């Protein structure tokens, strides 16, 4: 019989109290911009691990260190860390200027009446190519502001469309940290998770696009946005997308992207060899905190599992959620709750991974479906919470350009996260499960 000890979940409570509590104080009491992201998340996890080490006096400290080491010495954890670093190197090599080129290229081809729809589609492509919703929002929001000012489109609609498209790619991209965390945490191939996820995300994206077009038809237009662009820089992104979809090993795909990106950036004179090497290092360094969080969470969860915390949590879930479909919903709500508490969907997935693995065995959920549910539900909550990095970055970009915009102006225009939730519930409760190969 497995242990059942609710007190073993205390370290998670300590982390949430520190991170969420201080985040609320910083953001809403002290009025510090990006307050949640001024809190050292690694330090909060260290405090949680210390709490776990102080529990269970029956085990010696050396034994606890051995348990944590076993939790970290997992093939999926090592694979996750390496992919994080290689993906960061890829983004550092190719840069982000091609995202603006894609946007301006499509805006130059499409009539002005469809400009907001173009923003949504561009944000979908760029975020899928770059693997970062925050990076996409940082790049495309100034273009959205320019589209609103030049054409007369509602600014919250433009910004909300960019945020929705950014979350589409965050959910699907092969180099997104959420995809990497979910797939390696559940032990499934990225192409399998992509195919599972695509059937959920695409209907939500199409309905979102239809809503944007319907609203666009009733808007009076006054102008258009034009700018120079260079499309050759998108070739590495396209190669990564194609390689990922057809199922080539993710390391091979990313190495092809790095080599092709380096060749193009050097050949076009966009960068010097010295700058290229520096960007590779800074790109990998940008993933260091995420890697450290993955390591610390695996150590903390190893102790919680040993103490019986996961069994206690699963017992509570069993009482509320019955059957396979109920288990899938419970898994989705679990990662949503963690994301709302941490305001970071990657951290939420990393924290939920070991519990979700236990739930998959309990309810008979396939790894690819579990990975899809974790990634999708974390993106649903992350794309809508007013204190998430995505919302804060979008508001900051708009405010820097002289426009007063609040989260509550944008939230009613966030069509995609709400429709993704509807699509996910249909996927769980209405559509039949795929037969196992």
């Amino acid at each position: 019989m497995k242990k059942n000890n609710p007190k073993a979940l205390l370290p998670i409570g300590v982390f949430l109290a520190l991170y969420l509590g201080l985040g609320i104080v910083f953001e809403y009491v002290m009025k510090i911009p990006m307050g949640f992201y001024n809190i050292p998340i690694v330090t909060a996890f260290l405090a949680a691990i210390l709490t776990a080490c102080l529990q269970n006096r029956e085990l010696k400290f050396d034994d606890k260190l051995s348990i944590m080491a076993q939790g970290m010495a997992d093939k999926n954890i090592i694979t996750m860390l390496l992919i994080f670093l290689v993906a960061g190197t890829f983004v550092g090599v190719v840069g982000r200027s091609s995202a603006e080129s894609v946007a301006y290229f499509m805006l130059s081809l499409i009539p002005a009446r469809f400009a907001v729809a173009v923003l949504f589609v561009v944000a979908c492509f760029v975020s899928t190519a770059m693997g970062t919703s925050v990076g996409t929002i940082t790049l495309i929001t100034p273009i959205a502001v320019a589209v609103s000012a030049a054409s007369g489109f509602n600014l919250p609609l433009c910004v909300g469309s960019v945020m929705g498209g950014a979350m589409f790619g965050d959910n699907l991209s092969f180099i997104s940290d959420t995809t990497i965390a979910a797939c390696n945490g559940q032990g499934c191939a990225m192409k399998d998770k992509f195919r599972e996820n695509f059937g959920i995300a695409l209907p939500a994206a199409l309905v979102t696009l239809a809503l944007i077009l319907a609203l666009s038809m009733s808007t009076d237009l006054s102008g258009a946005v034009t700018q120079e662009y260079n499309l050759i820089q998108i070739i590495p992104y396209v190669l990564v997308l194609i390689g990922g979809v057809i199922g080539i090993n993710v390391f091979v795909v990313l190495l092809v992207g790095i080599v092709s990106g380096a060749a193009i950036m050097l050949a076009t004179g966009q960068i010097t060899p010295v700058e290229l090497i520096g960007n590779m290092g800074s790109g990998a360094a940008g993933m260091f905190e995420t890697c450290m969080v993955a390591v610390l969470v695996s150590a903390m969860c190893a102790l919680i599992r040993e103490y019986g915390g996961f069994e206690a949590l699963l017992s509570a879930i069993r009482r509320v959620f019955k059957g396979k479909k109920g288990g899938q919903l419970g898994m989705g709500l679990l990662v949503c709750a963690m994301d709302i508490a941490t305001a970071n969907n990657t951290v939420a997935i990393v924290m939920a991974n070991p519990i979700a693995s236990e739930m998959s065995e309990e309810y008979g959920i396939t790894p690819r479906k579990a990975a899809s549910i974790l990634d999708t539900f974390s993106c649903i909550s992350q794309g809508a919470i007013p204190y998430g990095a995505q919302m804060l970055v979008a508001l900051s970009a708009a405010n820097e350009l002289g426009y007063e915009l609040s989260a509550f102006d944008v939230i009613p225009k966030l069509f995609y996260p709400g429709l993704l939730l509807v699509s996910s519930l249909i996927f769980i409760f209405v559509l039949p499960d795929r037969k196992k190969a």
Side-chain angles (χ1 to χ4, degrees), residues 153 203 266 283 287:
F153 278 114
L266 291 172
M287 290 290 191

Side-chain angles (χ1 to χ4, degrees), residues 121-132:
V121 173
V122 167
C124 288
F125 173 81
V126 169
S127 58
T128 305
M130 292 175 57
T132 166

Side-chain angles (χ1 to χ4, degrees), residues 24-46:
I24 292 172
V25 171
F26 283 12
E27 187 77 33
Y28 299 106
V29 178
M30 300 176 67
K31 306 295 183 182
I32 297 175
M34 301 286 287
F36 274 86
Y37 301 91
N38 285 307
I39 302 168
I41 193 169
V42 170
T43 304
F45 273 118
L46 285 173

